[in-house]
Every structure is written in structure tokens, then in C-alpha cells.
């Protein structure tokens, strides 16, 4: 068994991981690998949103987890269809639909679509003349495939095609996620690694090339003894160490922005901490703290609750519902709702 596992991992490393790393070596060397398409990082799962907006190690029978880590879906899916809606920061309305199903005893696949609408904006030309209102939007189509490597290891790939329309400008990009997950049911331990948003822009808005937000992420989630509680730690933005932010400070000259980029500031801006209470498979309650979200709003009147998120989920035979809430800004909040149905369980 040990030899088979080592052989499989070596084969996966040689055929998939190493070629991908060689292909994206120029990206890995960049200090900042993202200047656009950050909407690809907005979760479609209310469970993930409750745990800080990014979690690649959740073990749940939920097809919407595919956009976090394609290795999180598997043959346990039984013709599951899920819809999600997110009211984002007072003007954004994001919605999506995804369908997934098991493929034999060791594989699964899923397809999905999501639409992101940012509300109405007033347009002006270079002379300051009004050009009317417009609604910027993004449309993403996704396809996911996963397969069991061993009894505890699973790998997957998620392909994304993103079309953006901002006033008279449009663009198109293609990206892929490659992920693996290790899950020990006896220890209630889950560990994941994801190479996220590998790809680039195919059609540009204008002359300037806009990069997709490539990232390397690690995720850990484990139960606390025999209690119904679980802790999670997600490390992201690992393609760069320095991710400073700015905050207002009053001094003799008035309010000024001051850059914050110390060691511990950078360290904690890479981490998301979560706590989950799950007494049974039919219910969970989650709470998380994302220091980066909190500090990003330091220059924009953040509240004490900035960076915190919370959510609940319920499940009955064949149906599940989840809701989560966060307040990143002092005067704006975000709410996400998920509804899913496992058709295979109802038949």
C-alpha cells in the first residue's frame, strides 16, 4: 500500500505538477502576480464565506466547494444541483448555479456558471461629458474533474473561462485550479494544497495586459478531540510575502495614510482562522477572522467587525441550505445564501 501511494504521487508529480510549475515559473518569480480578475476569488459557497471567504480544506457534500479546491468534490455527489446568491457591499449582486455528479467509484465532475453584477455607474468621456449609465459585469463558466489517488488522497482540476464587460470594453481570460486534498476520517483531519488561477488573458480590454490572480494556497482543518468543534487555518497569497496596507492616523498636519508592512503584519495578512461547530451532518455553525480583510479597510472607516464572518447551515434528506454574513465596511455588509438539492438521494 505504501509503495503504491509513493508510486502514484511520483507519477502525479512527474506528469502534472512539475510541467505546470515549469510553465508558470515566470509568474512564481513575480512579487505581485495579480492586478485584475480578482472576482475569480469570490466564493460561491456560503460555508466558505462563513469561514473567512477562502477555505480549501472543508470536507462537506457540497458541489459549490469546487471553486475553492477541485479535490473537495468526489463520487459521494449524487446529481447535486446548487444555486447561490450574494448581496455584496450595498450594490453588487452575484449569482451562480452548479451541477455535479459522481463518475464511478473514484471520480466526479461538475459544471457551473456565475454572474457578477456590480450595480449602475455614471459614465463620462475624457472631456467630462456624461455618456450615460452602465453596469459592469463578469460571467464565469467552469468545469471540474476530480479523482481519488488513494483512500485518503484526492486530486482535481477546475477550468474557468471568464468574460468581462465594462461599459464599451470587454475582455476574456482562461484560468485553471489544480488541487490535492488529504483526509483522515479517523482523526477528522483535512489538509489541502491548491495552485489557483493558473492562466492568462486571451482578449484584452485595451492595449495593457491584465494578469489573473495566480496564488498558491495551503489549508488545514481538524476536529478538536472528540468535541463537535473544528479549527481551520488557510494560508493564501503565498506567491508574495509583502502585502502592505495603509491606515489613517491623525497628526499635526491632519489625517494621513501610513503604510503598514512589518513582519507580523505581513505574516497574519496571509492567514485566515476559522472555528466550526458541527454536532451532526445536519447542522453547522461557523465563525472566522480574516485579518487581511480587516486591515484592507483601515483606510476606509472599518468597523470592529471588519474581518469577521459567520454562518449557519442545515441539511435534510436531499436538501440543504446555508447562509453567511460579513461586515467588511462600517456602512456596508455582505450576505450569501446557498440552496442545494441532491437529486440522487430523492430518487
Amino acid at each position: 500500500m505504501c509503495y503504491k501511494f509513493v508510486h502514484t504521487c511520483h507519477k502525479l508529480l512527474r506528469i502534472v505538477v512539475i510541467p505546470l510549475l515549469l510553465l508558470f515559473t515566470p509568474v512564481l518569480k513575480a512579487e505581485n502576480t495579480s492586478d485584475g480578475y480578482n472576482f475569480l476569488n469570490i466564493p460561491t459557497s456560503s460555508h466558505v464565506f462563513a469561514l473567512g471567504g477562502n477555505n480549501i480544506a472543508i470536507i462537506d457534500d457540497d458541489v459549490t466547494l469546487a471553486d475553492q479546491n477541485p479535490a473537495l468534490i468526489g463520487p459521494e455527489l449524487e446529481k447535486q444541483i446548487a444555486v447561490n446568491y450574494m448581496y455584496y457591499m450595498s450594490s453588487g449582486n452575484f449569482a451562480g448555479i452548479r451541477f455535479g455528479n459522481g463518475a464511478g467509484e473514484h471520480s466526479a465532475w461538475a459544471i457551473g456558471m456565475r454572474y457578477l453584477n456590480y450595480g449602475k455607474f455614471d459614465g463620462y468621456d475624457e472631456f467630462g461629458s456624461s455618456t450615460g449609465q452602465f453596469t459592469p459585469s463578469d460571467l464565469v463558466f467552469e468545469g471540474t474533474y476530480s479523482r481519488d489517488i488513494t483512500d485518503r488522497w484526492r486530486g482535481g482540476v477546475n477550468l474557468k473561462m471568464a468574460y468581462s464587460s465594462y461599459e464599451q470594453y470587454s475582455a476574456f481570460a482562461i484560468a485553471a485550479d489544480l488541487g490535492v486534498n488529504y483526509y483522515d476520517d479517523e482523526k477528522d483531519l483535512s489538509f489541502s494544497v491548491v495552485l489557483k488561477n493558473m492562466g492568462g488573458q486571451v482578449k484584452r480590454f485595451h492595449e495593457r495586459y491584465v494578469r489573473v490572480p495566480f496564488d498558491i494556497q495551503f489549508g488545514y482543518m481538524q476536529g478538536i478531540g472528540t468535541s463537535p468543534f473544528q479549527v481551520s487555518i488557510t494560508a493564501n497569497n503565498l506567491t508574495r510575502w509583502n502585502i502592505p496596507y495603509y491606515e489613517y492616523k491623525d497628526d499635526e498636519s491632519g489625517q494621513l495614510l501610513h503604510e503598514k508592512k512589518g513582519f507580523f503584519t505581513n505574516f497574519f495578512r496571509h492567514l485566515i482562522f476559522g472555528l466550526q461547530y458541527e454536532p451532526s451532518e445536519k447542522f453547522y455553525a461557523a465563525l472566522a477572522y480574516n485579518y487581511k480583510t480587516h486591515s484592507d479597510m483601515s483606510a476606509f472607516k472599518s468597523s470592529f467587525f471588519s474581518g469577521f464572518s459567520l454562518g449557519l447551515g442545515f441539511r435534510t434528506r436531499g436538501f440543504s441550505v446555508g447562509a453567511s454574513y460579513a461586515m467588511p465596511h462600517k456602512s456596508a455588509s455582505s450576505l450569501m445564501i446557498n440552496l442545494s438539492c441532491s437529486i440522487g438521494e430523492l430518487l
Side-chain angles (χ1 to χ4, degrees), residues 258-302:
H258 293 262
E259 186 179 41
K260 306 283 287 186
K261 58 177 183 179
F263 174 83
F264 288 104
T265 294
N266 278 314
F267 179 77
F268 285 105
R269 276 171 61 81
H270 286 281
L271 302 176
I272 302 172
F273 300 93
L275 177 65
Q276 178 168 279
Y277 172 69
E278 190 175 21
S280 71
E281 294 182 352
K282 297 182 178 180
F283 172 77
Y284 74 82
L287 173 70
Y289 180 68
N290 186 332
Y291 177 65
K292 184 177 185 299
T293 299
H294 176 83
S295 53
D296 281 345
M297 289 295 169
S298 294
F300 303 98
K301 298 181 180 180
S302 62

Side-chain angles (χ1 to χ4, degrees), residues 113-166:
M113 178 186 71
R114 42 181 161 148
Y115 174 72
L116 301 91
N117 181 305
Y118 304 99
K120 293 183 178 180
F121 291 79
D122 294 321
Y124 297 90
D125 61 20
E126 64 271 28
F127 304 105
S129 301
S130 175
T131 58
Q133 290 188 324
F134 68 98
T135 302
S137 61
D138 297 300
L139 184 63
V140 184
F141 294 94
E142 299 177 80
T144 309
Y145 178 77
S146 70
R147 183 171 179 81
D148 293 337
I149 302 172
T150 68
D151 292 340
R152 294 181 176 177
W153 283 93
R154 178 181 293 170
V157 60
N158 184 40
L159 178 65
K160 297 175 280 192
M161 295 176 287
Y163 173 78
S164 300
S165 176
Y166 303 158

Side-chain angles (χ1 to χ4, degrees), residues 7-25 28 70 145 147 149 154-158 176-180 193-195 198 214:
H7 177 73
T8 304
C9 290
H10 178 265
K11 185 176 180 180
L12 181 67
L13 182 69
R14 178 170 52 87
I15 297 177
V16 179
V17 178
I18 291 178
L20 284 171
L21 288 176
L22 290 175
L23 179 64
F24 291 98
T25 295
L28 287 169
Y145 178 77
R147 183 171 179 81
I149 302 172
R154 178 181 293 170
V157 60
N158 184 40
D177 306 330
L178 180 66
V180 292
V193 181
V194 176
L195 303 181
M198 301 181 295
F214 173 73

Side-chain angles (χ1 to χ4, degrees), residues 105-329:
E105 297 181 356
H106 301 286
S107 303
W109 60 270
I111 54 174
M113 178 186 71
R114 42 181 161 148
Y115 174 72
L116 301 91
N117 181 305
Y118 304 99
K120 293 183 178 180
F121 291 79
D122 294 321
Y124 297 90
D125 61 20
E126 64 271 28
F127 304 105
S129 301
S130 175
T131 58
Q133 290 188 324
F134 68 98
T135 302
S137 61
D138 297 300
L139 184 63
V140 184
F141 294 94
E142 299 177 80
T144 309
Y145 178 77
S146 70
R147 183 171 179 81
D148 293 337
I149 302 172
T150 68
D151 292 340
R152 294 181 176 177
W153 283 93
R154 178 181 293 170
V157 60
N158 184 40
L159 178 65
K160 297 175 280 192
M161 295 176 287
Y163 173 78
S164 300
S165 176
Y166 303 158
E167 216 248 347
Q168 77 267 34
Y169 303 99
S170 63
F172 181 73
I174 298 177
D177 306 330
L178 180 66
V180 292
N181 172 257
Y182 171 85
Y183 179 56
D184 186 337
D185 181 48
E186 296 179 358
K187 297 181 180 179
D188 193 17
L189 168 65
S190 175
F191 175 76
S192 295
V193 181
V194 176
L195 303 181
K196 185 163 286 187
N197 297 321
M198 301 181 295
Q201 194 174 45
V202 178
K203 180 183 181 296
R204 305 183 183 188
F205 285 107
H206 195 45
E207 296 179 356
R208 179 172 174 267
Y209 180 81
V210 179
R211 293 171 293 182
V212 296
F214 173 73
D215 194 13
I216 300 175
Q217 301 178 352
F218 292 86
Y220 163 82
M221 193 165 186
Q222 184 171 22
I224 304 175
T226 58
S227 75
F229 290 94
Q230 297 171 303
V231 294
S232 70
I233 302 175
T234 303
N236 56 15
N237 293 308
L238 298 183
T239 57
R240 51 182 173 141
W241 167 252
N242 291 307
I243 46 176
Y245 71 96
Y246 296 85
E247 67 175 4
Y248 273 115
K249 283 188 177 180
D250 290 322
D251 55 25
E252 296 179 356
S253 61
Q255 285 188 327
L256 295 175
L257 282 173
H258 293 262
E259 186 179 41
K260 306 283 287 186
K261 58 177 183 179
F263 174 83
F264 288 104
T265 294
N266 278 314
F267 179 77
F268 285 105
R269 276 171 61 81
H270 286 281
L271 302 176
I272 302 172
F273 300 93
L275 177 65
Q276 178 168 279
Y277 172 69
E278 190 175 21
S280 71
E281 294 182 352
K282 297 182 178 180
F283 172 77
Y284 74 82
L287 173 70
Y289 180 68
N290 186 332
Y291 177 65
K292 184 177 185 299
T293 299
H294 176 83
S295 53
D296 281 345
M297 289 295 169
S298 294
F300 303 98
K301 298 181 180 180
S302 62
S303 70
F304 171 80
F305 298 102
S306 296
F308 285 99
S309 57
L310 54 90
L312 301 171
F314 302 90
R315 174 176 294 155
T316 60
R317 182 178 177 270
F319 293 93
S320 64
V321 58
S324 52
Y325 175 84
M327 188 177 179
H329 190 276

Side-chain angles (χ1 to χ4, degrees), residues 40-79:
L40 292 174
N41 292 326
I42 297 175
T44 60
S45 165
S46 61
H47 197 169
V48 170
F49 191 59
L51 285 171
N54 185 7
N55 193 302
I56 62 173
I58 300 176
I59 301 300
D60 195 6
D61 182 15
D62 184 356
V63 69
T64 62
L65 297 177
D67 71 340
Q68 292 292 299
N69 181 357
L72 294 181
I73 66 169
E76 61 274 5
L77 290 180
E78 298 186 62
K79 298 179 180 178

